[in-house]
Amino acid sequence: MTNTVSSTLDRLRILITNLENIPPYNIRSPSNQPCRASVAIIIRIRPNNLSHDNNNKFDFAESSTNKSLQSEGINNEQKTNLEDFWELPWVKDGEPEILYVKRALREGDRWSGQIAFPGGKQDKTDFDDLDTAERETFEEVGLDIGNRELFLCVGALDEREITSTFGKNLLMVLCPFVFLQLTKETPPIEISGSEIASTHWIPLSIFFDPNITQKWDPVSIDLSSRLAPNSWILQNIFKTLIGRMHFHCIGLPYSDVDGITTKKLKLWGITLQVTSDLIDVMYWQNEIPPRRLDAKRPKFDYWDMNFFVWFFLRNNRKNYKRKMSDLKTRRKIWAEGWREYFTATKKSCIIATIIRTLFALLLIRKLPRIIFIIEKKIINFTKRIE
């Protein structure tokens, strides 16, 4: 247990260093789609021994030096404060955890019932993307992450484009920010509104366990209703030609309210991709990280679709492997790989449709001959029996 906790704490410190030294990849919203959204990746250190410094649960947050912390990066004074933070007994003996929320089941919500990070769309009153993350988090779970005495924004991950199915339309630009909780005890979480169903603190160590992260556990989506929402005829055609799409999912174990029953949260889609970015930045630039959490691209029911997608992505795979030792480059290549994946998927759909259509036409053309041969064999077989 000690080795695991120690390694995840070290990875967390590497994350903060990398976020400081490597600027995130920023995306400017096009004029035709200015919508932006921000999420907050909140990390806390859960003390394993609550007897440490019980007289002052906000010991680090209440120090006079810490009140100078600002959100615009980590300056020299902040580095000193963080070094003091890592030396606190409850931090050295603690276990890092990440906050996830489960969205409520709501009709019309594209991400209804899914696991996500606190956050939401930018409002006209927001000063910037960071302000959006702080406001939305407070509205959804009641945590004042803008309070620099309680939380420190240690940086941002690469921004990413959120698109509709197959990357057809740009829905928004997503901006993920990383926050470190500076207090031993987490301020009370208060779910407000109808958007969030529950909140869950997941140990960081889980994401370094290949028995959990590399197990193929798919979430299956019926694409026909998305590709042709207003035509049942086209829906049935798409079901026949394309089938379902299966997304890689990581089952995050957690205890139910009784503290005994173990359940699993299904982490997949955009939240899995952002989590993968987070874990990827927890390795030094000269390290070769293990397989990404979202390394398994979505698959289809039919083998030919999977083969064509694999074939069209061969250059992206080779390019990514060549750049594995460069953190900044490899994460950009991987992000662009999703755009290439959607392009490969569309090409594969077209090719698979053409091949199946030609096969069907050939079958129809040869059908009379096939029926004649079958009938002849049946007659011969009947004569032998007689």
Side-chain angles (χ1 to χ4, degrees):
M1 183 64 177
T2 303
N3 291 336
T4 302
V5 171
S6 176
S7 63
T8 52
L9 280 171
D10 290 340
R11 291 298 174 190
L12 182 56
R13 298 184 69 169
I14 294 173
L15 167 72
I16 295 176
T17 301
N18 284 335
L19 290 178
E20 174 195 359
N21 296 326
I22 304 176
Y25 177 62
N26 299 120
I27 301 176
R28 179 176 296 180
S29 297
S31 57
N32 63 324
Q33 179 51 283
C35 184
R36 300 177 71 84
S38 299
V39 294
I41 306 173
I42 304 173
I43 303 175
R44 73 175 183 182
I45 311 295
R46 179 176 60 80
N48 284 321
N49 187 351
L50 295 179
S51 63
H52 287 310
D53 301 325
N54 278 333
N55 293 330
N56 192 354
K57 62 181 179 181
F58 298 113
D59 50 358
F60 184 74
E62 292 179 353
S63 66
S64 59
T65 55
N66 185 56
K67 292 183 179 181
S68 64
L69 294 174
Q70 301 295 326
S71 61
E72 296 84 1
I74 304 176
N75 57 34
N76 292 331
E77 185 177 1
Q78 292 168 348
K79 290 180 183 178
T80 303
N81 291 333
L82 279 178
E83 289 301 320
D84 294 338
F85 173 77
W86 297 121
E87 294 302 317
L88 291 171
W90 61 270
V91 173
K92 295 171 67 175
D93 189 44
E95 180 172 3
E97 295 180 328
I98 303 176
L99 179 65
Y100 289 91
V101 300
K102 184 175 182 179
R103 301 193 66 82
L105 295 174
R106 296 196 310 162
E107 186 177 353
D109 185 354
R110 191 180 186 87
W111 296 278
S112 174
Q114 295 186 20
I115 301 302
F117 294 109
K121 293 182 180 180
Q122 190 173 82
D123 193 276
K124 293 181 179 180
T125 60
D126 294 333
F127 178 73
D128 54 17
D129 296 321
L130 177 60
D131 193 31
T132 302
E134 295 173 351
R135 176 186 56 78
E136 282 285 343
T137 300
F138 184 76
E139 291 178 359
E140 291 185 344
V141 296
L143 292 180
D144 187 9
I145 57 176
N147 186 341
R148 296 297 172 251
E149 296 183 13
L150 304 179
F151 297 91
L152 172 64
C153 181
V154 295
L157 299 177
D158 292 342
E159 297 175 359
R160 56 174 58 242
E161 295 179 341
I162 308 300
T163 63
S164 57
T165 305
F166 293 166
K168 183 179 180 181
N169 298 314
L170 175 64
L171 300 178
M172 66 186 70
V173 174
L174 182 66
C175 312
F177 293 91
V178 183
F179 292 83
L180 177 64
Q181 179 181 307
L182 303 174
T183 59
K184 182 191 299 185
E185 293 188 8
T186 303
I189 291 180
E190 299 179 359
I191 299 176
S192 60
S194 59
E195 296 184 13
I196 307 300
S198 59
T199 61
H200 306 271
W201 288 100
I202 302 299
L204 180 61
S205 58
I206 285 179
F207 300 105
F208 294 93
D209 184 352
N211 294 323
I212 296 177
T213 60
Q214 298 305 329
K215 179 181 178 182
W216 176 250
D217 186 14
V219 170
S220 301
I221 300 297
D222 181 7
L223 294 174
S224 61
S225 59
R226 296 189 178 187
L227 296 176
N230 301 319
S231 174
W232 66 269
I233 297 178
L234 289 177
Q235 286 183 18
N236 284 284
I237 292 176
F238 283 127
K239 283 182 180 180
T240 303
L241 296 178
I242 299 177
R244 296 171 300 168
M245 197 173 188
H246 308 282
F247 291 82
H248 175 44
C249 165
I250 295 179
L252 302 179
Y254 75 99
S255 297
D256 202 358
V257 290
D258 58 11
I260 301 176
T261 307
T262 300
K263 295 185 177 181
K264 287 187 177 181
L265 301 171
K266 293 184 176 182
L267 178 64
W268 65 287
I270 299 299
T271 307
L272 175 58
Q273 294 173 28
V274 175
T275 303
S276 300
D277 290 344
L278 179 76
I279 301 301
D280 195 39
V281 186
M282 290 186 180
Y283 291 86
W284 292 118
Q285 294 191 55
N286 58 357
E287 282 188 284
I288 301 298
R291 195 175 189 182
R292 281 181 60 100
L293 303 182
D294 62 344
K296 298 176 181 178
R297 305 286 192 183
K299 297 180 180 179
F300 294 85
D301 283 331
Y302 305 119
W303 69 269
D304 54 345
M305 280 286 297
N306 294 324
F307 171 77
F308 289 131
V309 171
W310 173 85
F311 177 77
F312 287 127
L313 289 177
R314 64 191 185 281
N315 290 332
N316 179 265
R317 290 194 301 273
K318 293 178 181 178
N319 195 21
Y320 178 76
K321 289 181 179 179
R322 285 197 300 267
K323 301 295 184 180
M324 279 286 288
S325 59
D326 188 337
L327 172 60
K328 185 176 181 180
T329 305
R330 73 166 180 260
R331 64 183 189 175
K332 183 178 180 181
I333 292 175
W334 188 260
E336 292 176 346
W338 282 102
R339 188 182 297 111
E340 295 179 19
Y341 170 81
F342 288 129
T343 301
T345 300
K346 286 185 284 188
K347 291 180 181 178
S348 301
C349 286
I350 294 173
I351 294 176
T353 301
I354 293 174
I355 291 176
R356 289 174 189 162
T357 302
L358 292 176
F359 180 78
L361 293 174
L362 180 62
L363 186 63
I364 293 173
R365 183 179 179 183
K366 298 290 184 180
L367 189 59
R369 176 63 179 171
I370 294 174
I371 294 175
F372 174 77
I373 294 174
I374 294 175
E375 288 179 344
K376 187 175 181 180
K377 288 187 176 182
I378 292 175
I379 294 173
N380 292 335
F381 180 74
T382 305
K383 288 181 178 179
R384 286 197 214 104
I385 296 177
E386 295 175 351

